[in-house]
Every structure is written in structure tokens, then in C-alpha cells.
Amino acid sequence: MELLDGKKISSDIKKEITAEVDKMKANGEKVPHLAAVIVGNDGASLTYVGSKVKACELVGFESTLVKMPSTTSETELLKKIKELNENDDIDGFIVQLPLPEQIDTQRVLMAIDPSKDVDGFHPENFGKMALDMTTFIPATPFGILELLERYNVETKGKHTVVIGRSHIVGRPMSILMGRKGFPGNSTVTLTHSYTKNIAQITTQADIIITALGVPNYLKAEMIKDDAVVIDVGITRVPDENDPRGYKITGDVDFEFVSKKASYITPVPGGVGPMTIAMLLKNTLLAREQKKLK
């Protein structure tokens, strides 16, 4: 069994991006600038956005954090998005989800300029991805592809089972694993809460990508020997023995599944660090595309 080490690979990617930024600086070019908008005080979201800002500093990007109160109206948020769309200094920006209930998430995502949508959630970018065109791939699926590629995990002709059909991970992953090229060219089954006999399907899978958010859902008896297991789940499970009062747990029963798998991502330290690295990569891409215009 080999660990797909997201911590290590994300660190390699950040070094590669830093080298690109150093070249830009040496040529007197503008460095990439990423903005993040956060509405409200959700603890997990604040931590996540904070780590994105730190990552920007690390690679030499400029970054802007826009904090708005949880009482922000949809109109106010759309006005802020319009400002960011029109601000030439900002190459890409993200709106941290989830948003408070008074705001229509879909309307907000639609308002983002597709050329600055480094999260890859705008329908224009999602459509381009589905058509195999160059575009921003959502950061988590992009990170999974990068892990598979850098560990040279064979995907051609393999049976990939995706558990979960969210627009952020499951749905894009099912499209990307079936596309032409590497990683891709696999036969994909997309499963979800209404799928019957999931274990029957997962035991036939060469590659399993699970993004359910149900701790320890995937058990050893649900996979075949030497399967590749990608765990996107991340849940805080109460734990009195941990000083934080909780431990981070994935969708996979790691202790037992890891004994049967050929490759597996740990939680934490697997897919999570890759998400931020690929967001930086998308921001670099946004800056480069702007230069070509």
C-alpha cells in the first residue's frame, strides 16, 4: 500500500508556483492576485480562508480578504462581486461557501466573471470542463487528478466509482475520470444516496472516490484487493482524548481499508492540502490568460 501524500505533493506544487512568480518578478511583471470573500463567522470557513491567504503569501501572490457580516444582503454581496469583477488588479477570486440562508448561492456564483472564477463553479467553466476545453477545474477534483498523475496511478480502462454527486466534487469527478487523456479514460459509475446495493458496486471498483461526509462509511469489505481509494470526506468527530475535543475523520475506515488498498489518501493530509494548492494554480492560470489578452 502506498499513501497518496497530499501534503508532500501540495508542497511541491507551491514550490513550482513560487519559481514561476519569481520569474514574473524578475521580468517586472505583475504577480497574481487572489481575493477571497467570506460572509459571516463560520469557524471552519474562517480557518479555511485564512489558510488560503497564508498560502498566497508563501508563493508570493498578492491576496485580499473581504469580510462581510452574516447579515449581509444578497444585493450587497452582488455589489461587492461586481466591484471585484471590475477591479483589474484582481486576477481571480472566490466566494467562500456556505453562504447565509438569505443569499441565493447560485445567483452569487453566476455573478462571478468566468475569467476570474478560480473555484471553477460558474456554469460557463463547468460546461467547458465537461466538453474537455481548457478552463478552471474546481480545486478539489483538480487536486485529485494531480495526485493520480504524480503517483502515476493507472486510470485507463479502469472502473471508477464515485460516491456522492455534489457539484463541488462528485459530479465534476465523474466527468473528469471519463474524459480522454490521463488521468481519465476510465469507466465511471456515479453513486449517491438513492443508489441501491452500493457495496455490490464498490467491490467491483478499481478506483473509489468518496465525497459523502459520513465518517468511516467505506469499510474494508466494500472494496476489492488493491483498489485505489481517494477519501474527500472531512468531518469533525467528537473525541475526548484529543486536546481540541474532536478529531478529523474521513469517509474511509482507514485502519482496515488501508490494509487492502494499493493506494490511499490519508485524512488529514491527503486531498485537503491539494485543494489549496490547485486554487493557487488556477489563480496563476488566470493571471497568464490575462497576459495573453
PDB file of all heavy atoms in Angstrom, residues 169-192:
ATOM      1  N   VAL A 169     -17.538  18.267  -5.951  1.00  0.00           N
ATOM      2  CA  VAL A 169     -16.600  17.137  -6.091  1.00  0.00           C
ATOM      3  C   VAL A 169     -17.157  15.989  -6.940  1.00  0.00           C
ATOM      4  O   VAL A 169     -16.609  15.660  -7.988  1.00  0.00           O
ATOM      5  CB  VAL A 169     -16.169  16.579  -4.705  1.00  0.00           C
ATOM      6  CG1 VAL A 169     -15.140  15.457  -4.892  1.00  0.00           C
ATOM      7  CG2 VAL A 169     -15.583  17.662  -3.822  1.00  0.00           C
ATOM      8  N   GLY A 170     -18.255  15.387  -6.482  1.00  0.00           N
ATOM      9  CA  GLY A 170     -18.724  14.147  -7.112  1.00  0.00           C
ATOM     10  C   GLY A 170     -19.029  14.266  -8.592  1.00  0.00           C
ATOM     11  O   GLY A 170     -18.521  13.496  -9.420  1.00  0.00           O
ATOM     12  N   ARG A 171     -19.864  15.243  -8.941  1.00  0.00           N
ATOM     13  CA  ARG A 171     -20.271  15.407 -10.348  1.00  0.00           C
ATOM     14  C   ARG A 171     -19.064  15.712 -11.251  1.00  0.00           C
ATOM     15  O   ARG A 171     -18.851  15.030 -12.247  1.00  0.00           O
ATOM     16  CB  ARG A 171     -21.347  16.505 -10.419  1.00  0.00           C
ATOM     17  CG  ARG A 171     -22.004  16.683 -11.762  1.00  0.00           C
ATOM     18  CD  ARG A 171     -23.188  15.778 -12.002  1.00  0.00           C
ATOM     19  NE  ARG A 171     -24.167  15.706 -10.940  1.00  0.00           N
ATOM     20  CZ  ARG A 171     -25.257  16.466 -10.853  1.00  0.00           C
ATOM     21  NH1 ARG A 171     -25.511  17.385 -11.767  1.00  0.00           N
ATOM     22  NH2 ARG A 171     -26.118  16.280  -9.877  1.00  0.00           N
ATOM     23  N   PRO A 172     -18.254  16.751 -10.906  1.00  0.00           N
ATOM     24  CA  PRO A 172     -17.085  17.003 -11.772  1.00  0.00           C
ATOM     25  C   PRO A 172     -16.128  15.815 -11.856  1.00  0.00           C
ATOM     26  O   PRO A 172     -15.594  15.508 -12.911  1.00  0.00           O
ATOM     27  CB  PRO A 172     -16.400  18.221 -11.146  1.00  0.00           C
ATOM     28  CG  PRO A 172     -17.088  18.512  -9.877  1.00  0.00           C
ATOM     29  CD  PRO A 172     -18.385  17.790  -9.874  1.00  0.00           C
ATOM     30  N   MET A 173     -15.945  15.116 -10.726  1.00  0.00           N
ATOM     31  CA  MET A 173     -15.020  13.973 -10.715  1.00  0.00           C
ATOM     32  C   MET A 173     -15.472  12.889 -11.685  1.00  0.00           C
ATOM     33  O   MET A 173     -14.671  12.272 -12.381  1.00  0.00           O
ATOM     34  CB  MET A 173     -14.968  13.413  -9.290  1.00  0.00           C
ATOM     35  CG  MET A 173     -13.630  13.062  -8.754  1.00  0.00           C
ATOM     36  SD  MET A 173     -12.318  14.231  -8.998  1.00  0.00           S
ATOM     37  CE  MET A 173     -11.242  13.326 -10.086  1.00  0.00           C
ATOM     38  N   SER A 174     -16.805  12.664 -11.736  1.00  0.00           N
ATOM     39  CA  SER A 174     -17.340  11.615 -12.624  1.00  0.00           C
ATOM     40  C   SER A 174     -17.103  11.977 -14.086  1.00  0.00           C
ATOM     41  O   SER A 174     -16.853  11.115 -14.924  1.00  0.00           O
ATOM     42  CB  SER A 174     -18.829  11.400 -12.352  1.00  0.00           C
ATOM     43  OG  SER A 174     -19.592  12.537 -12.739  1.00  0.00           O
ATOM     44  N   ILE A 175     -17.152  13.287 -14.390  1.00  0.00           N
ATOM     45  CA  ILE A 175     -16.900  13.749 -15.767  1.00  0.00           C
ATOM     46  C   ILE A 175     -15.414  13.624 -16.103  1.00  0.00           C
ATOM     47  O   ILE A 175     -15.022  13.114 -17.152  1.00  0.00           O
ATOM     48  CB  ILE A 175     -17.365  15.214 -15.935  1.00  0.00           C
ATOM     49  CG1 ILE A 175     -18.890  15.322 -15.789  1.00  0.00           C
ATOM     50  CG2 ILE A 175     -16.907  15.797 -17.279  1.00  0.00           C
ATOM     51  CD1 ILE A 175     -19.413  16.743 -15.618  1.00  0.00           C
ATOM     52  N   LEU A 176     -14.572  14.071 -15.168  1.00  0.00           N
ATOM     53  CA  LEU A 176     -13.121  14.123 -15.425  1.00  0.00           C
ATOM     54  C   LEU A 176     -12.503  12.730 -15.550  1.00  0.00           C
ATOM     55  O   LEU A 176     -11.613  12.512 -16.368  1.00  0.00           O
ATOM     56  CB  LEU A 176     -12.423  14.904 -14.303  1.00  0.00           C
ATOM     57  CG  LEU A 176     -12.753  16.406 -14.271  1.00  0.00           C
ATOM     58  CD1 LEU A 176     -12.405  17.009 -12.909  1.00  0.00           C
ATOM     59  CD2 LEU A 176     -12.031  17.148 -15.388  1.00  0.00           C
ATOM     60  N   MET A 177     -12.992  11.775 -14.754  1.00  0.00           N
ATOM     61  CA  MET A 177     -12.408  10.431 -14.816  1.00  0.00           C
ATOM     62  C   MET A 177     -12.799   9.697 -16.100  1.00  0.00           C
ATOM     63  O   MET A 177     -12.158   8.722 -16.481  1.00  0.00           O
ATOM     64  CB  MET A 177     -12.804   9.613 -13.585  1.00  0.00           C
ATOM     65  CG  MET A 177     -12.157  10.100 -12.302  1.00  0.00           C
ATOM     66  SD  MET A 177     -10.353  10.110 -12.335  1.00  0.00           S
ATOM     67  CE  MET A 177     -10.018   8.354 -12.185  1.00  0.00           C
ATOM     68  N   GLY A 178     -13.862  10.167 -16.760  1.00  0.00           N
ATOM     69  CA  GLY A 178     -14.281   9.534 -18.011  1.00  0.00           C
ATOM     70  C   GLY A 178     -13.760  10.246 -19.249  1.00  0.00           C
ATOM     71  O   GLY A 178     -13.965   9.784 -20.373  1.00  0.00           O
ATOM     72  N   ARG A 179     -13.051  11.365 -19.067  1.00  0.00           N
ATOM     73  CA  ARG A 179     -12.583  12.145 -20.231  1.00  0.00           C
ATOM     74  C   ARG A 179     -11.419  11.428 -20.918  1.00  0.00           C
ATOM     75  O   ARG A 179     -10.797  10.527 -20.347  1.00  0.00           O
ATOM     76  CB  ARG A 179     -12.128  13.539 -19.772  1.00  0.00           C
ATOM     77  CG  ARG A 179     -10.883  13.480 -18.924  1.00  0.00           C
ATOM     78  CD  ARG A 179     -10.382  14.803 -18.433  1.00  0.00           C
ATOM     79  NE  ARG A 179      -9.148  14.585 -17.676  1.00  0.00           N
ATOM     80  CZ  ARG A 179      -8.326  15.536 -17.293  1.00  0.00           C
ATOM     81  NH1 ARG A 179      -8.602  16.788 -17.551  1.00  0.00           N
ATOM     82  NH2 ARG A 179      -7.224  15.251 -16.620  1.00  0.00           N
ATOM     83  N   LYS A 180     -11.124  11.874 -22.138  1.00  0.00           N
ATOM     84  CA  LYS A 180      -9.970  11.310 -22.846  1.00  0.00           C
ATOM     85  C   LYS A 180      -8.698  11.865 -22.216  1.00  0.00           C
ATOM     86  O   LYS A 180      -8.647  13.019 -21.835  1.00  0.00           O
ATOM     87  CB  LYS A 180     -10.012  11.705 -24.327  1.00  0.00           C
ATOM     88  CG  LYS A 180     -11.057  10.941 -25.109  1.00  0.00           C
ATOM     89  CD  LYS A 180     -11.062  11.348 -26.561  1.00  0.00           C
ATOM     90  CE  LYS A 180     -12.112  10.547 -27.329  1.00  0.00           C
ATOM     91  NZ  LYS A 180     -12.306  11.062 -28.677  1.00  0.00           N
ATOM     92  N   GLY A 181      -7.665  11.037 -22.150  1.00  0.00           N
ATOM     93  CA  GLY A 181      -6.388  11.509 -21.608  1.00  0.00           C
ATOM     94  C   GLY A 181      -6.102  10.912 -20.249  1.00  0.00           C
ATOM     95  O   GLY A 181      -6.823  10.042 -19.756  1.00  0.00           O
ATOM     96  N   PHE A 182      -5.016  11.404 -19.647  1.00  0.00           N
ATOM     97  CA  PHE A 182      -4.583  10.888 -18.351  1.00  0.00           C
ATOM     98  C   PHE A 182      -4.503  12.035 -17.360  1.00  0.00           C
ATOM     99  O   PHE A 182      -3.939  13.072 -17.685  1.00  0.00           O
ATOM    100  CB  PHE A 182      -3.204  10.218 -18.479  1.00  0.00           C
ATOM    101  CG  PHE A 182      -2.600   9.806 -17.159  1.00  0.00           C
ATOM    102  CD1 PHE A 182      -3.179   8.790 -16.409  1.00  0.00           C
ATOM    103  CD2 PHE A 182      -1.467  10.444 -16.661  1.00  0.00           C
ATOM    104  CE1 PHE A 182      -2.633   8.419 -15.181  1.00  0.00           C
ATOM    105  CE2 PHE A 182      -0.920  10.070 -15.436  1.00  0.00           C
ATOM    106  CZ  PHE A 182      -1.503   9.056 -14.697  1.00  0.00           C
ATOM    107  N   PRO A 183      -5.048  11.895 -16.154  1.00  0.00           N
ATOM    108  CA  PRO A 183      -5.899  10.799 -15.696  1.00  0.00           C
ATOM    109  C   PRO A 183      -7.282  10.884 -16.348  1.00  0.00           C
ATOM    110  O   PRO A 183      -7.802  11.971 -16.524  1.00  0.00           O
ATOM    111  CB  PRO A 183      -6.008  11.057 -14.188  1.00  0.00           C
ATOM    112  CG  PRO A 183      -4.972  12.081 -13.850  1.00  0.00           C
ATOM    113  CD  PRO A 183      -4.816  12.896 -15.090  1.00  0.00           C
ATOM    114  N   GLY A 184      -7.824   9.746 -16.677  1.00  0.00           N
ATOM    115  CA  GLY A 184      -9.115   9.674 -17.360  1.00  0.00           C
ATOM    116  C   GLY A 184      -9.247   8.339 -18.047  1.00  0.00           C
ATOM    117  O   GLY A 184      -8.616   7.358 -17.648  1.00  0.00           O
ATOM    118  N   ASN A 185     -10.084   8.293 -19.102  1.00  0.00           N
ATOM    119  CA  ASN A 185     -10.291   7.057 -19.876  1.00  0.00           C
ATOM    120  C   ASN A 185     -10.755   5.884 -19.020  1.00  0.00           C
ATOM    121  O   ASN A 185     -10.504   4.728 -19.348  1.00  0.00           O
ATOM    122  CB  ASN A 185      -9.004   6.670 -20.631  1.00  0.00           C
ATOM    123  CG  ASN A 185      -8.830   7.498 -21.889  1.00  0.00           C
ATOM    124  OD1 ASN A 185      -9.802   7.859 -22.548  1.00  0.00           O
ATOM    125  ND2 ASN A 185      -7.588   7.827 -22.221  1.00  0.00           N
ATOM    126  N   SER A 186     -11.405   6.210 -17.876  1.00  0.00           N
ATOM    127  CA  SER A 186     -11.929   5.091 -17.090  1.00  0.00           C
ATOM    128  C   SER A 186     -13.445   5.004 -17.288  1.00  0.00           C
ATOM    129  O   SER A 186     -14.059   5.917 -17.831  1.00  0.00           O
ATOM    130  CB  SER A 186     -11.555   5.238 -15.608  1.00  0.00           C
ATOM    131  OG  SER A 186     -12.241   6.295 -15.002  1.00  0.00           O
ATOM    132  N   THR A 187     -14.016   3.888 -16.896  1.00  0.00           N
ATOM    133  CA  THR A 187     -15.467   3.702 -16.957  1.00  0.00           C
ATOM    134  C   THR A 187     -16.015   4.120 -15.602  1.00  0.00           C
ATOM    135  O   THR A 187     -15.579   3.597 -14.576  1.00  0.00           O
ATOM    136  CB  THR A 187     -15.797   2.227 -17.244  1.00  0.00           C
ATOM    137  OG1 THR A 187     -15.168   1.873 -18.473  1.00  0.00           O
ATOM    138  CG2 THR A 187     -17.293   2.000 -17.352  1.00  0.00           C
ATOM    139  N   VAL A 188     -16.943   5.071 -15.606  1.00  0.00           N
ATOM    140  CA  VAL A 188     -17.339   5.697 -14.340  1.00  0.00           C
ATOM    141  C   VAL A 188     -18.759   5.317 -13.919  1.00  0.00           C
ATOM    142  O   VAL A 188     -19.685   5.348 -14.721  1.00  0.00           O
ATOM    143  CB  VAL A 188     -17.241   7.234 -14.447  1.00  0.00           C
ATOM    144  CG1 VAL A 188     -17.594   7.893 -13.114  1.00  0.00           C
ATOM    145  CG2 VAL A 188     -15.836   7.669 -14.895  1.00  0.00           C
ATOM    146  N   THR A 189     -18.913   4.970 -12.650  1.00  0.00           N
ATOM    147  CA  THR A 189     -20.232   4.794 -12.044  1.00  0.00           C
ATOM    148  C   THR A 189     -20.376   5.864 -10.967  1.00  0.00           C
ATOM    149  O   THR A 189     -19.529   5.956 -10.070  1.00  0.00           O
ATOM    150  CB  THR A 189     -20.370   3.397 -11.397  1.00  0.00           C
ATOM    151  OG1 THR A 189     -20.099   2.394 -12.377  1.00  0.00           O
ATOM    152  CG2 THR A 189     -21.764   3.182 -10.842  1.00  0.00           C
ATOM    153  N   LEU A 190     -21.424   6.677 -11.075  1.00  0.00           N
ATOM    154  CA  LEU A 190     -21.684   7.723 -10.082  1.00  0.00           C
ATOM    155  C   LEU A 190     -22.786   7.229  -9.139  1.00  0.00           C
ATOM    156  O   LEU A 190     -23.905   6.970  -9.567  1.00  0.00           O
ATOM    157  CB  LEU A 190     -22.108   9.023 -10.783  1.00  0.00           C
ATOM    158  CG  LEU A 190     -22.451  10.217  -9.882  1.00  0.00           C
ATOM    159  CD1 LEU A 190     -21.248  10.644  -9.055  1.00  0.00           C
ATOM    160  CD2 LEU A 190     -22.935  11.396 -10.715  1.00  0.00           C
ATOM    161  N   THR A 191     -22.451   7.099  -7.862  1.00  0.00           N
ATOM    162  CA  THR A 191     -23.437   6.612  -6.890  1.00  0.00           C
ATOM    163  C   THR A 191     -23.814   7.730  -5.918  1.00  0.00           C
ATOM    164  O   THR A 191     -23.080   8.697  -5.766  1.00  0.00           O
ATOM    165  CB  THR A 191     -22.886   5.414  -6.089  1.00  0.00           C
ATOM    166  OG1 THR A 191     -21.791   5.879  -5.284  1.00  0.00           O
ATOM    167  CG2 THR A 191     -22.412   4.301  -6.991  1.00  0.00           C
ATOM    168  N   HIS A 192     -24.973   7.568  -5.275  1.00  0.00           N
ATOM    169  CA  HIS A 192     -25.462   8.612  -4.360  1.00  0.00           C
ATOM    170  C   HIS A 192     -26.430   7.989  -3.356  1.00  0.00           C
ATOM    171  O   HIS A 192     -26.546   6.755  -3.287  1.00  0.00           O
ATOM    172  CB  HIS A 192     -26.132   9.733  -5.162  1.00  0.00           C
ATOM    173  CG  HIS A 192     -27.046   9.250  -6.223  1.00  0.00           C
ATOM    174  ND1 HIS A 192     -28.309   8.786  -5.952  1.00  0.00           N
ATOM    175  CD2 HIS A 192     -26.856   9.092  -7.568  1.00  0.00           C
ATOM    176  CE1 HIS A 192     -28.885   8.400  -7.079  1.00  0.00           C
ATOM    177  NE2 HIS A 192     -28.021   8.558  -8.079  1.00  0.00           N
TER     178      HIS A 192
END
